[in-house]
């Protein structure tokens, strides 16, 4: 029998080698699943299939895993390294777990009683042929096992084959927790069978909906019927017109997913990523696969930096053995031919605003709730639009509000929000962003724009996708808003909802930043931008890169950040070779100088801003020591704690107030270990031999403190100024400062950042409820910041404020002639005259 089986396997390997190309999930099972190569493995496959077994063997050998066809030899016993749970499905019947599989389990369990050092790892493995979930109005997807059907499967799905390794089960734990009798072996087989059913569902998802049937169901829902009735009451409307408008809106919004289109997208995107990037680095996907196996409804909330985000995340999820989500896309992407293609990949379209349009908002909310009800994963961008500066934007809470409302209406599955950090070493649209920030109008998306982007395809470095810590909504609301389960009166809005939406949204942003990916480009860019001349010697640059890497490893911002494993020299070489990196190497008689040209420096701020939140607290500590030369630990702590609320609000930092002190102590200890500063009896002083490194560390927060100082200086001079005017005048002075001092960062005069700062001032008690300024409190923090800002910057700000006062005087005599725009023009004219 074994001879015939071996011959059969040899013949079977011929078409497999020609037709099948499998991909492993995860790509590095030993590291990602925490497997112990020193202990025996036993692979558990769901169905009897020599084809699946041979594919598994090939993959195991490529991954340096034990060969499943070679037996385990333990305590003189020879046991198989693989088992099948079922004989395999026929059309209408399926046999139970094979008795010999239970016998093998029992023999393994029995060995653990005799050898206390033994810990066999039972690893469930699925071989997935295609990922089609089937359709609601179609036949179920059958597993065809006949020779002809198997050959057809190889031909059709040979390039769509995945091997899914699951978390190992420790038989040592099973024996210690439950014993080693025959009943435990049977239970293992039953649990494994249930696991494979969940695994298959997590990979394929629910059946694809019948679009027309879903529309009919939605149009009969009480909420939409009420909205249609309300629409029909409007002038020039009628019930028939309102109904047609509702159907039109549904057709505009709803996705039209087709599995074959997803398979085509996989081929196209595989080519695209290979063309664009040197590699896509994915971290922490296992935590998402675990939630999917546990039956959670997944809502992916990534940061938004490029139109590539839509495509990249769906592609990554597909290759991680998960179902590509339905994606909330801006209506601006619904142009031909992209719109129909995106819709077939799972995009559903949302208007930029639907305030005041009850019919549209009701239909959209009901459609989203229906997606959750049917078990489809969903993706939306909480920032609303793409970040033009590289920072996270303030969250737009509309979609999150609808998500929480859908949860409260009652779902059979728990909802988990999955924050996702997406980063690139080159963003395709970064040139366009720079133009928009300089005042150019945003170009409307169209097919011509897409073609122009495709023409630019070339090596763009690497991409990074890190899955942040998921937020299990049910647990989060139970902990923070326990009243959420209270019954809700029809048509009323729960009191807790607004605060809960705000809280969850902010936590999503925090968790995205917690999972930031440091890469060669954003790290080197951050160092060079820290130099006022945007240039350093090669030795200085490498020394500073190494200092940052040590800081991130020894005092990690969070457990989820990822740091490059290459050396500083390798990182520099990589960035220099990237097209249009802007990093230039020049040589003189003394060695090599690395610099950024001015235009590249403006673009590089985008990548610096992706990870700026990682630098600010070390930078603040460095700045305090640098400007005081010798400073006590207590004064450092007091200064940091007073400035920290503003940094936390602007950059979505995760440290609670009681955690900040410990983190600052760790930073001081690391700076001391690196000899950047000296610690003498809790007095921290500049180490003159490493002062250049201290200056570069301090530079990362320089512009933030300058912005804060601008607003506080205005408040002291004009304590009765309104928040709106404070933000306008702060921005105008910041624009002037950026020109006179060559500040390259476009976000330096971003109005939203001044709005965030003024809002935090109010939260921290610098304004009372009537809007009056707490002058003494403002003066205290203004004095603190003045000690951290150069005299030259202070004088420029004071000069701008004098100029502003002159303009105010002119406004009083000629109010109809001058506004904030005129102020900006006068600043620009005076600067040009100076030049």
């Amino acid at each position: 029998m074994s001879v015939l089986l071996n011959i059969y396997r040899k013949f079977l390997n011929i078409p497999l080698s020609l037709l099948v190309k499998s991909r492993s999930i995860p790509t590095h099972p030993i590291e990602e699943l925490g497997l112990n190569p020193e202990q025996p493995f036993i692979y558990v496959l769901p169905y009897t299939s020599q084809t699946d077994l041979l594919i598994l063997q090939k993959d195991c050998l490529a991954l340096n895993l034990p060969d499943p066809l070679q037996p385990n030899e333990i305590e003189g016993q020879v046991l198989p390294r693989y088992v099948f749970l079922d004989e395999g499905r026929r059309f209408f019947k399926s046999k139970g777990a094979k008795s010999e599989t239970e016998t093998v389990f029992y023999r393994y369990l029995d060995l653990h009683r005799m050898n206390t050092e033994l810990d066999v790892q039972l690893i469930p493995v699925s071989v997935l042929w295609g990922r089609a979930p089937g359709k609601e109005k179609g036949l179920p997807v059958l597993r065809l096992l006949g020779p002809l059907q198997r050959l057809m499967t190889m031909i059709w799905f040979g390039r769509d084959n995945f091997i899914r390794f699951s978390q190992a089960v420790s038989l040592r734990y099973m024996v210690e927790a439950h014993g080693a009798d025959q009943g435990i072996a049977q239970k293992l087989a039953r649990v494994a069978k249930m696991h494979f059913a969940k695994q298959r569902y997590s990979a394929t998802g629910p059946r694809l909906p019948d679009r027309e049937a879903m529309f009919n169901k939605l149009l009969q829902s009480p909420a939409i019927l009420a909205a249609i009735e309300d629409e029909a009451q409007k002038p020039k409307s009628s019930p028939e017109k309102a109904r047609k408008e509702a159907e039109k809106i549904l057709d505009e919004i709803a996705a039209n997913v087709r599995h074959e289109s997803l398979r085509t997208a996989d081929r196209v995107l595989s080519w695209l990523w290979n063309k664009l990037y040197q590699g896509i680095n994915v971290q922490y996907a296992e935590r998402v696969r675990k939630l999917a196996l546990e039956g959670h409804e997944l809502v992916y909330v990534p940061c938004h930096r490029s139109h590539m985000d839509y495509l990249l995340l769906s592609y990554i999820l597909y290759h991680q053995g998960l179902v590509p989500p339905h994606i909330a896309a801006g209506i601006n992407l619904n142009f031909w031919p992209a719109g129909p293609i995106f819709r077939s990949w799972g995009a559903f379209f949302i208007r930029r605003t639907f305030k005041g349009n009850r019919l549209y908002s009701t239909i959209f909310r009901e459609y989203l709730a229906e997606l959750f009800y049917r078990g489809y994963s969903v993706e939306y961008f909480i920032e609303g639009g793409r970040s033009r500066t590289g920072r996270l934007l303030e969250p737009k809470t509309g979609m999150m509000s609808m998500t929480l409302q859908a949860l409260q209406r009652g779902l059979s599955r728990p909802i988990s929000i999955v924050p996702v950090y997406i980063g690139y070493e080159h963003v395709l649209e970064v040139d366009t962003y720079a133009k928009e920030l300089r005042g150019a109008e945003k170009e409307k998306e169209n097919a011509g724009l897409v073609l122009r982007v495709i023409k630019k395809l070339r090596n763009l470095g690497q991409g990074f996708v890190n899955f942040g810590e998921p937020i299990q909504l049910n647990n989060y609301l139970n902990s923070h808003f326990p009243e959420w389960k209270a019954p809700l009166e029809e048509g009323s809005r729960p009191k807790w909802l607004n605060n809960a939406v705000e809280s969850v949204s902010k936590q999503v942003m925090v968790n995205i930043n917690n999972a930031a990916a440091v890469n060669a480009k954003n790290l080197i860019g951050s160092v060079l931008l820290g130099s006022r001349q945007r240039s350093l010697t090669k030795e200085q640059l490498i020394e500073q890169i190494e200092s940052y890497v040590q800081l991130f490893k020894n005092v990690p911002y969070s457990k989820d950040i990822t740091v490059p494993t290459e050396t500083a020299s390798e990182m520099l070489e990589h960035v220099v070779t990237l097209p249009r990196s802007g990093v230039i190497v020049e040589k003189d008689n003394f060695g090599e100088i690395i610099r950024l040209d001015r235009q590249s420096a403006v673009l590089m701020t985008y990548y610096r801003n992706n990870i700026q939140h990682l630098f600010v607290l070390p930078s603040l500590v460095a700045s305090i020591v640098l400007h005081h030369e010798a400073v006590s630990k207590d004064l450092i702590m007091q200064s940091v704690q007073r400035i920290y609320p503003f940094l936390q609000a602007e950059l979505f930092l995760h440290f609670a107030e009681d955690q900040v002190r410990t983190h600052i102590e760790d930073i001081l200890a690391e700076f001391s270990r690196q000899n950047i500063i000296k610690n003498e009896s809790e007095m921290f002083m500049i180490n003159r031999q490493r002062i250049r490194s201290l200056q570069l560390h301090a530079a990362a927060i320089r512009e933030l403190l300058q912005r804060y100082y601008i607003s506080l200086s205005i408040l002291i001079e004009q304590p009765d100024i309104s928040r709106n005017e404070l933000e306008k005048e702060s921005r105008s002075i910041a624009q002037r400062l950026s020109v006179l001092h060559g500040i390259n960062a476009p976000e330096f005069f971003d109005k939203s950042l001044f709005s965030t700062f003024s809002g935090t001032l109010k939260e921290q008690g610098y304004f009372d409820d009537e809007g009056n300024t707490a002058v003494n409190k403002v003066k205290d923090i203004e004095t603190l910041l003045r000690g951290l800002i150069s005299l030259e910057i202070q004088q420029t700000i004071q000069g701008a404020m004098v100029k502003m006062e002159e303009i105010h005087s002119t406004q009083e005599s000629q109010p109809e002639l001058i506004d904030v725009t005129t102020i900006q023009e006068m600043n620009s004219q005076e600067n040009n005259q100076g030049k």
Side-chain angles (χ1 to χ4, degrees):
M1 180 67 179
S2 60
V3 174
L4 291 175
L5 185 58
N6 288 334
I7 295 173
Y8 174 69
R9 287 171 178 168
K10 287 181 180 180
F11 277 107
L12 192 55
N13 263 322
I14 296 173
L16 287 176
S17 62
L18 295 173
L19 300 174
V20 177
K21 182 180 179 181
S22 61
R23 285 166 284 192
S24 168
I25 305 171
T27 53
H28 304 288
I30 293 177
E31 294 81 6
E32 295 184 53
L33 299 180
L35 303 178
N36 182 2
E38 303 299 320
Q39 292 286 353
F41 289 8
I42 175 172
Y43 303 102
V44 183
L45 291 95
Y47 307 108
T48 302
S49 169
Q50 296 301 317
T51 305
D52 290 0
L53 181 60
L54 291 176
I55 291 173
L56 173 62
Q57 180 193 36
K58 182 179 178 180
D59 214 56
C60 286
L61 295 177
L63 295 168
N64 294 319
L65 290 169
D67 184 346
L69 295 183
Q70 296 298 317
N72 286 318
E73 296 185 18
I74 306 171
E75 300 289 337
Q77 293 193 44
V78 178
L79 294 171
R81 195 175 271 155
Y82 72 90
V83 294
F84 298 117
L85 283 182
D86 266 357
E87 286 284 357
R89 292 179 183 171
R90 303 293 175 183
F91 282 105
F92 300 108
K93 60 183 179 179
S94 175
K95 297 181 179 179
K98 293 177 65 175
S99 59
E100 54 262 39
T101 297
E102 295 178 7
T103 301
V104 170
F105 282 164
Y106 177 71
R107 291 176 64 189
Y108 272 109
L109 290 168
D110 193 52
L111 284 170
H112 285 73
R113 287 191 296 196
M114 298 181 289
N115 185 349
T116 57
E117 300 298 319
L118 180 64
D119 186 8
V120 174
Q121 298 159 95
L122 189 151
I123 307 173
V125 185
S126 292
V127 179
L128 303 174
W129 294 89
R131 306 274 290 280
K135 297 181 179 180
E136 288 181 340
K137 283 192 174 181
L139 293 172
V141 177
L142 297 176
R143 184 181 176 86
L144 303 175
L145 295 176
L148 180 60
Q149 293 94 331
R150 177 60 74 192
L151 180 61
M152 293 298 295
T153 299
M154 289 183 198
I155 295 172
W156 189 249
F157 293 113
R159 292 295 185 267
D160 198 19
N161 182 273
F162 297 84
I163 299 181
R164 175 73 165 87
F165 294 90
S166 293
Q167 196 71 46
V169 176
S170 165
L171 293 191
R172 166 57 51 196
Y173 167 79
M174 292 296 296
V175 170
E176 293 178 352
H178 305 287
D181 57 28
Q182 188 70 34
I184 298 301
Q186 293 171 350
K187 183 177 180 181
L188 268 176
R190 288 196 302 271
V191 170
K193 190 173 181 180
M194 292 170 58
H195 169 84
F196 284 121
K198 292 178 180 178
Q199 190 182 77
R200 180 75 191 179
Y201 184 86
S202 73
T204 62
R207 290 190 186 187
L208 298 179
D210 179 88
R211 207 161 181 260
E212 184 179 350
M214 184 169 69
F215 283 10
N216 290 333
K217 178 186 175 184
L218 286 169
L219 290 170
Q220 295 303 314
S221 71
I224 292 181
L225 286 174
I228 291 174
E229 185 178 347
D230 185 60
E231 181 75 12
Q233 302 303 316
K234 292 182 178 180
K236 299 182 180 181
S237 185
S238 67
E240 293 77 16
K241 287 183 178 181
R243 170 86 181 192
K244 287 183 179 180
E245 179 64 18
E247 292 172 351
K248 180 181 176 182
I249 290 172
L250 259 178
D251 188 59
E252 174 192 301
I253 292 172
N256 187 20
V257 181
R258 296 195 299 273
H259 181 71
E260 289 309 312
S261 183
L262 288 174
R263 289 188 65 201
T264 303
D266 178 45
R267 306 296 188 275
V268 173
L269 294 178
S270 293
W271 168 84
L272 184 66
W273 304 135
N274 289 329
K275 182 83 173 177
L276 284 176
Y277 298 105
Q278 295 177 4
I280 305 295
N281 301 278
V282 182
Q283 298 292 333
Y284 312 122
E286 182 59 31
R287 58 180 31 155
V288 187
R289 290 195 293 265
K290 183 174 182 291
L291 288 173
L293 283 173
E294 291 173 354
H296 285 241
E297 178 70 35
L298 298 177
V299 179
Y300 299 96
V301 185
C303 59
H304 200 8
R305 295 189 168 123
S306 169
H307 281 315
M308 288 293 168
D309 300 340
Y310 301 96
L311 308 177
L312 181 59
L313 185 54
S314 290
Y315 174 83
I316 291 299
L317 290 171
Y318 188 78
H319 282 258
Q320 293 296 326
L322 296 162
V323 185
H326 282 60
I327 307 165
I331 195 67
N332 57 311
L333 292 178
N334 191 20
F335 60 88
W336 190 90
I341 294 173
F342 289 160
R343 203 183 289 275
S344 71
W345 293 352
F348 60 98
F349 294 98
I350 179 173
R351 295 176 186 175
R352 288 300 181 189
T353 178
F354 40 86
K355 188 175 182 181
N357 189 337
R358 183 191 171 193
L359 181 61
Y360 184 90
S361 61
T362 302
I363 289 173
F364 189 90
R365 185 176 60 250
E366 292 298 308
Y367 174 74
L368 184 65
E370 184 69 11
L371 292 181
F372 289 142
Y373 173 77
R374 291 169 179 252
Y376 302 114
S377 57
V378 171
E379 171 191 340
Y380 52 75
F381 296 93
I382 198 169
E383 296 168 277
R386 291 164 291 154
S387 171
R388 264 63 177 174
T389 64
R391 288 169 161 226
L392 293 185
L393 306 177
E394 282 291 320
K396 305 293 191 296
T397 56
M399 292 292 290
M400 186 62 71
S401 177
M402 293 182 195
T403 303
L404 266 64
Q405 289 179 70
L407 176 65
Q408 196 196 29
R409 287 165 61 169
L411 294 174
S412 59
R413 307 170 71 201
I415 295 181
S416 284
I417 308 290
V418 182
V420 187
Y421 174 94
I422 301 178
Y424 308 88
E425 287 188 323
H426 186 90
V427 173
L428 284 176
E429 304 97 324
V430 73
D431 293 330
T432 306
Y433 294 166
K435 292 176 184 176
E436 290 178 18
L437 289 166
R438 287 195 295 267
E441 289 189 9
K442 178 180 179 292
E443 185 174 357
K444 185 178 180 181
E445 281 78 14
N446 54 66
L449 179 62
V450 174
L451 291 174
R452 289 202 303 275
V453 169
I454 291 175
K455 287 181 181 179
K456 297 180 180 179
L457 296 182
R458 57 185 174 276
N459 169 26
L460 301 180
Q462 299 188 51
F464 302 84
V465 178
N466 289 354
F467 292 93
E469 184 68 35
I471 302 169
Q472 297 187 27
L473 274 187
N474 301 64
N475 295 342
Y476 187 91
L477 294 177
N478 287 340
S479 299
H480 297 83
F481 302 93
E483 64 274 24
W484 79 277
K485 288 186 175 180
L488 182 64
E489 294 182 11
E490 186 68 30
S492 64
R493 186 178 178 87
K495 296 180 180 178
W496 57 268
L497 183 62
N498 287 345
N499 289 337
V501 168
E502 186 76 17
S503 178
V504 173
S505 299
K506 287 292 177 67
Q507 191 62 51
V508 167
M509 309 310 280
V510 167
N511 288 10
I512 290 174
N513 267 348
N514 283 354
V518 181
N519 61 57
K521 186 169 182 177
N522 58 32
L523 181 55
I524 289 173
S526 299
V527 175
L528 289 174
L529 289 170
S531 170
R532 291 185 184 277
Q533 296 77 30
R534 305 184 301 278
S535 61
L536 292 168
T537 68
K538 183 177 181 180
E539 293 77 15
Q540 287 174 329
L541 178 59
I542 287 177
E543 178 185 57
Q544 194 65 17
I545 293 170
E546 290 173 344
S547 176
Y548 274 125
V549 171
Q550 290 177 50
L551 178 65
F552 293 147
K553 287 182 178 179
N554 297 333
V555 190
Y557 172 82
S558 73
K559 63 181 176 62
D560 288 342
I561 69 163
T562 55
V563 181
T565 56
E566 299 84 2
T567 66
S569 297
E570 290 170 339
M571 282 189 262
L572 177 58
E573 182 180 355
H574 168 70
V575 172
V576 168
T577 58
L578 290 176
R580 299 181 63 201
S581 70
V583 178
I584 301 169
V585 180
E586 296 178 344
K587 293 184 179 180
D588 60 15
N589 293 333
F590 302 98
E592 293 181 332
I593 294 175
I594 316 297
R595 72 175 181 87
L596 284 170
D597 60 64
R598 181 172 177 79
Q599 181 179 1
S600 298
V602 174
L603 300 180
M604 189 64 83
T605 61
Y606 186 93
Y607 304 103
R608 186 271 313 269
N609 291 347
N610 290 176
I611 59 169
Q612 189 178 25
H613 60 286
L614 307 181
F615 296 94
V616 289
L617 288 180
S619 180
L620 181 55
V621 171
S623 185
I624 293 169
V625 176
L626 183 66
H627 286 85
H628 287 83
E629 297 194 7
V631 59
S632 69
K633 180 179 176 180
D634 286 343
L635 182 56
I636 292 173
M637 294 297 177
Q638 292 171 15
S639 301
V640 171
Q641 287 174 342
R642 295 180 66 185
I643 296 172
Y644 179 73
F646 304 104
L647 301 175
Q648 184 181 34
E650 181 174 329
L651 295 170
F652 302 103
L653 305 184
H654 73 89
F655 300 103
E657 289 186 13
D658 58 346
Q659 298 173 320
V660 174
R661 184 179 183 90
T662 301
H663 191 67
I664 298 303
E665 288 175 344
D666 293 340
I667 292 169
L668 287 168
E670 178 61 19
F671 279 163
S672 299
R673 189 193 67 80
Q674 292 188 29
N675 292 320
I676 295 173
I677 61 176
K678 296 179 180 178
N679 180 5
E680 296 184 5
S681 303
E682 297 296 288
M683 287 293 292
F684 295 91
M685 295 173 286
I686 294 173
N687 179 0
R688 296 292 173 185
Q689 294 179 339
R690 297 291 308 279
I691 192 169
R692 187 61 177 141
S693 182
L694 185 65
Q695 290 171 334
L696 290 170
H697 276 289
I701 202 171
R702 183 170 59 212
E703 293 159 8
L704 281 81
L705 299 182
Q706 290 169 2
R707 277 195 289 102
Y708 298 166
Y709 183 71
I710 289 170
S711 293
L712 294 170
S713 299
I714 294 172
L715 264 180
I716 289 175
E717 291 296 321
Q718 305 177 58
D720 297 329
I721 192 172
S722 68
R723 277 184 58 185
N724 187 44
E725 287 301 315
L726 173 64
E727 293 163 15
K728 288 183 178 180
E729 293 193 9
S730 297
R731 185 172 181 238
S732 183
I733 292 176
Q735 286 177 311
R736 185 184 187 89
L737 193 65
S738 69
V739 174
L740 295 179
H741 290 273
I743 297 172
N744 300 302
E747 80 278 359
F748 185 70
F749 44 86
D750 185 349
K751 61 183 179 181
S752 66
L753 297 184
F754 287 106
S755 177
T756 298
F757 182 69
S758 66
T760 310
L761 283 172
K762 187 175 188 306
E763 290 175 5
Q764 296 296 315
Y766 291 87
F767 299 123
D768 60 23
D769 292 337
E770 285 73 36
N772 300 315
T773 304
V775 178
N776 291 336
K777 193 171 181 179
V778 171
K779 283 182 177 178
D780 287 344
I781 193 166
E782 186 268 350
T783 301
L784 169 60
L785 291 177
R786 194 189 323 139
L788 303 177
I789 293 173
S790 70
L791 184 60
E792 182 184 12
I793 294 291
Q794 293 179 42
Q795 290 174 340
T796 301
I797 293 172
Q798 293 303 318
M801 289 176 61
V802 171
K803 187 71 176 177
M804 185 75 72
E805 187 61 34
E806 293 174 0
I807 293 171
H808 281 313
S809 299
T810 307
Q811 279 183 313
E812 291 176 3
S813 59
Q814 296 178 310
E816 72 282 6
L817 299 179
I818 297 181
D819 59 13
V820 173
T821 304
T822 308
I823 296 172
Q824 297 169 2
E825 291 174 353
M826 293 175 69
N827 288 343
S828 177
Q829 290 170 5
E830 181 173 316
N831 181 62
N832 291 333
Q833 291 170 1
K835 289 182 179 177

